[in-house]
Amino acid sequence: MKSDDWRWPEAIKSPGIFSLNHPKNITAKRDGFLLHTHMKWVQFSCLHMDVRTDIDKPKISISDEPDTLYKHLSVLVKGHDRAVLDSYEYFAVLAAKELGISIKKVHEPPRKIERLTLLKSVHIFKKHRVQYEMRTYYRCLELQHLTGSTADVYLEYIQRNLPEGVAMEVTKTRLEQLPEHIKEPLWEMVGKEEKASKA
Amino acid sequence: MAAPMRRVARPRPWALRAFATVSSPASDPQVANTLKTENTKTSKSGKNRKQIPNPRTTKMTVGQDWMSVYPSSAPFKPSAVPLPIRMGYPVEKGVPMAKEGNLELLKIPNFLHLTPVAIKNHCAALKDFCTDWPSALDSDEKCEKHFPIEIETANYVSAGPSLYNPKSRVVTLKVKLSKLNLDDHAKKKFIKLVGERYCKNTDLLTITTDRCPLQRQNYDYAMYLLTVLYHESWKTEEWEKKMTEADMEEYIWENSRSEKNVLKTLLQIKASEKTSAVTKEELLGSEEVENYKKSVVALKNAGDTENNLSQYKEAVKKLLNLI
């Protein structure tokens, strides 16, 4: 199983290159210009182009414990705006394809509208009311045949880029083998042990 | 070549502030002209003119690297997005508002940091951390054969006063009884113990646990339940031997009243006809009795269908030699 804290990969446990005071990250300002302090001298065609050449790549660690297997992973996103969910679906589907995850189905469950009717005025005027509604749109993405590391990576990526005002529900179906103590009934063994102790 | 104005070849970068000369557009032709000398955007004219730089969109080329403009989630910046977007409800005989100073464009979430190119780059970097699905487990049957237990869990992500959703505690365990090592008596006892959680049509046992506060604890409890049920169903208690006909879930013909009645009737018939004494085993083994047995078992277990009733009729006719 791959190291599951890819947020803080082992090579970069200390702030190091990401701290604010690291010499590479200080850009001096003078008279409105930004002086670049990176190793490479970049052409000033576009002032804001950063080129970090010697950033340390996060190191991958492989452990001996077996990876969990997910037969089916269902990602349901809920939001108030259908256009936002459309864009998010495009992003999630493309990310799944790029990472090599098989997509079973992408569908849109029907929306739910919750309406309430309130009095318009603070005091009296019962005949004059105002109505509000809260719309929740859904989008469901069903994936299948994922390993634990792939699922963790994909879900973390998806969730970090979840837009504001959108909620997500993830349902995982995990595959497991029969535990050791269910293979044989216990009473046979206990009977044999008793006989052995008596004999 | 590096600018000849730098006297020291980068000894320590943060000290550059003190030593390096400033490269201005006038001195160094490579530096872009960012300051507008003829200002159309001054806050005040005259002495207090503020030098506002040109918007970034004017310096963008077509083949630029968009990932450096929007590397991560950021609000919509009209000066950094080179698209002529208009948003808003127009006034009468007007057009929707332009992007400068448009609150509507700021309010909605934008996906400018997630262009297809950006997604591909991110995934290329993430691909190293992913593992492949084992190719031997491509169909459902193979998954079931090697991994009979399925555990369903749910996780929730939302913004609110609390991060925790109480529904994430629930753990559902599904297993097919045919995969467990159970003999006949154990299987029947298991089904009786489990009750509604077993579905006969799909042979699926579903255990849903909710009583513990953590998902991990609920999973452990579900596995514990499965273990206990398995071992208890193999045990035979003293009082199980007193099981009556009403307790049994399926009808067994051997040693039942129907069998005894048939034998008594047939023996009486044979005795009245005064033929040679036929033993019980021969009677039981004869074809008519077999047919009768099958029809009675079908009626009791499956219920009263037309087929079953007609079979019973035929069997009785043959047995009693009626036409």
Side-chain angles (χ1 to χ4, degrees):
Chain A
M1 193 162 102
K2 310 281 186 186
S3 159
D4 63 351
D5 56 351
W6 69 274
R7 258 180 297 148
W8 260 153
E10 274 141 9
I12 316 183
K13 280 276 194 259
S14 60
I17 206 168
F18 291 124
S19 79
L20 285 173
N21 294 326
H22 190 100
K24 282 198 192 143
N25 293 342
I26 293 178
T27 49
K29 239 188 177 175
R30 202 163 161 180
D31 291 343
F33 286 99
L34 289 171
L35 299 176
H36 283 272
T37 57
H38 296 288
M39 299 295 274
K40 261 191 169 181
W41 179 259
V42 183
Q43 277 184 336
F44 276 138
S45 57
C46 175
L47 267 183
H48 299 270
M49 186 135 77
D50 292 337
V51 181
R52 292 185 188 277
T53 46
D54 49 357
I55 198 172
D56 293 323
K57 266 199 173 164
K59 295 197 178 98
I60 303 164
S61 67
I62 301 174
S63 69
D64 280 332
E65 53 182 275
D67 217 347
T68 51
L69 294 169
Y70 290 107
K71 184 174 173 187
H72 179 254
L73 198 85
S74 163
V75 175
L76 175 77
V77 266
K78 308 190 255 195
H80 294 301
D81 196 346
R82 206 181 245 155
V84 170
L85 292 181
D86 283 339
S87 305
Y88 191 72
E89 177 207 320
Y90 177 85
F91 154 67
V93 163
L94 185 59
K97 280 192 194 142
E98 290 294 312
L99 289 175
I101 300 170
S102 59
I103 301 171
K104 196 158 124 184
K105 195 175 162 198
V106 178
H107 66 288
E108 187 183 353
R111 67 180 180 186
K112 289 201 180 122
I113 305 181
E114 194 183 315
R115 293 192 172 106
L116 20 114
T117 312
L118 303 170
L119 295 172
K120 201 188 247 184
S121 163
V122 161
H123 180 57
I124 52 170
F125 303 121
K126 190 69 175 250
K127 284 193 277 187
H128 303 89
R129 313 247 183 152
V130 74
Q131 289 184 315
Y132 296 104
E133 67 179 23
M134 284 178 284
R135 294 186 170 202
T136 311
Y137 293 93
Y138 299 93
R139 207 52 74 99
C140 188
L141 181 69
E142 284 175 33
L143 312 164
Q144 61 182 358
H145 294 337
L146 288 150
T147 53
S149 349
T150 313
D152 287 341
V153 165
Y154 180 71
L155 285 174
E156 174 128 22
Y157 181 51
I158 292 282
Q159 286 165 8
R160 273 184 191 269
N161 291 310
L162 199 67
E164 309 77 44
V166 171
M168 185 197 279
E169 187 182 310
V170 177
T171 317
K172 301 178 184 169
T173 306
R174 196 166 82 217
L175 290 175
E176 280 206 5
Q177 289 178 319
L178 278 179
E180 285 304 315
H181 35 274
I182 288 193
K183 296 277 169 66
E184 291 293 326
L186 199 59
W187 316 116
E188 287 178 10
M189 282 165 44
V190 169
K192 279 179 199 162
E193 276 174 22
E194 278 181 11
K195 280 179 193 165
S197 64
K198 276 178 195 169
Chain B
M1 211 228 134
M5 282 167 287
R6 286 185 188 270
R7 278 167 259 141
V8 189
R10 326 189 140 263
R12 286 177 314 169
W14 62 86
L16 265 166
R17 189 183 295 176
F19 296 115
T21 51
V22 172
S23 13
S24 67
S27 51
D28 186 1
Q30 284 179 337
V31 178
N33 185 8
T34 51
L35 291 181
K36 287 175 83 167
T37 42
E38 312 95 35
N39 265 326
T40 52
K41 285 189 191 183
T42 47
S43 47
K44 297 171 194 162
S45 53
K47 283 192 289 184
N48 303 333
R49 272 191 323 177
K50 245 188 172 182
Q51 306 273 39
I52 302 172
N54 266 331
R56 190 172 167 174
T57 49
T58 51
K59 290 174 223 111
M60 285 181 176
T61 57
V62 173
Q64 68 164 340
D65 179 27
W66 182 255
M67 279 180 78
S68 41
V69 182
Y70 267 87
S72 65
S73 173
F76 179 84
K77 293 170 203 133
S79 59
V81 177
L83 304 167
I85 304 178
R86 290 183 168 272
M87 184 150 167
Y89 193 81
V91 282
E92 197 181 329
K93 292 180 199 168
V95 289
M97 280 175 59
K99 63 177 178 173
E100 277 83 19
N102 195 334
L103 194 62
E104 294 294 323
L105 285 165
L106 276 176
K107 285 196 289 195
I108 48 149
N110 67 63
F111 283 79
L112 291 163
H113 57 291
L114 292 174
T115 52
V117 176
I119 299 171
K120 285 182 181 142
N121 285 353
H122 294 156
C123 291
L126 291 175
K127 187 80 181 164
D128 295 333
F129 294 94
C130 298
T131 46
D132 290 325
W133 180 259
S135 48
L137 290 175
D138 37 352
S139 71
D140 275 348
E141 292 82 25
K142 283 188 198 162
C143 287
E144 256 181 50
K145 186 176 142 202
H146 297 286
F147 297 93
I149 297 185
E150 284 177 17
I151 314 268
E152 285 174 13
T153 49
N155 289 319
Y156 299 86
V157 178
S158 67
S162 160
L163 286 177
Y164 303 103
N165 192 320
K167 289 193 277 187
S168 55
R169 271 198 333 248
V170 180
V171 171
T172 305
L173 186 144
K174 286 190 177 169
V175 69
K176 290 216 165 156
L177 280 191
S178 45
K179 307 286 176 199
L180 294 174
N181 182 16
L182 291 168
D183 72 350
D184 200 39
H185 159 263
K187 186 166 179 188
K188 288 193 180 138
K189 187 167 174 187
F190 198 107
I191 293 171
K192 277 210 172 126
L193 280 172
V194 140
E196 271 190 8
R197 297 173 187 85
Y198 175 70
C199 170
K200 247 201 229 171
N201 298 336
T202 55
D203 188 33
L204 198 66
L205 167 72
T206 311
I207 297 178
T208 307
T209 39
D210 188 28
R211 54 169 66 184
C212 306
L214 292 184
Q215 197 185 80
R216 216 179 305 171
Q217 293 170 345
N218 277 317
Y219 165 72
D220 289 338
Y221 181 60
M223 296 305 271
Y224 160 78
L225 278 181
L226 184 67
T227 317
V228 160
L229 282 167
Y230 178 79
H231 290 302
E232 282 297 312
S233 61
W234 271 99
K235 264 204 268 188
T236 313
E237 303 280 346
E238 287 299 314
W239 40 264
E240 279 185 48
K241 289 165 194 158
K242 299 177 195 165
M243 190 158 77
T244 58
E245 257 193 49
D247 291 329
M248 296 199 266
E249 54 290 286
E250 73 170 4
Y251 184 77
I252 307 168
W253 202 67
E254 287 79 26
N255 288 334
S256 70
R257 280 186 305 166
S258 176
E259 190 191 21
K260 289 179 192 136
N261 284 340
V262 161
L263 284 171
K264 206 170 73 175
T265 323
L266 283 174
L267 279 172
Q268 275 184 346
I269 294 171
K270 300 291 178 198
S272 65
E273 283 175 8
K274 292 195 182 113
T275 49
S276 54
V278 194
T279 54
K280 266 190 190 171
E281 285 74 20
E282 278 187 28
L283 277 175
L284 276 174
S286 65
E287 207 195 299
E288 292 103 27
V289 178
E290 280 289 321
N291 275 339
Y292 181 74
K293 168 192 165 184
K294 272 190 217 155
S295 60
V296 168
V297 165
L299 266 179
K300 291 271 185 176
N301 286 340
D304 299 335
T305 58
E306 283 222 24
N307 241 346
N308 287 349
L309 284 171
S310 57
Q311 269 184 348
Y312 181 73
K313 188 172 95 176
E314 298 301 314
V316 167
K317 275 203 259 181
K318 281 202 193 127
L319 197 64
L320 302 176
N321 291 328
L322 304 166
I323 302 162

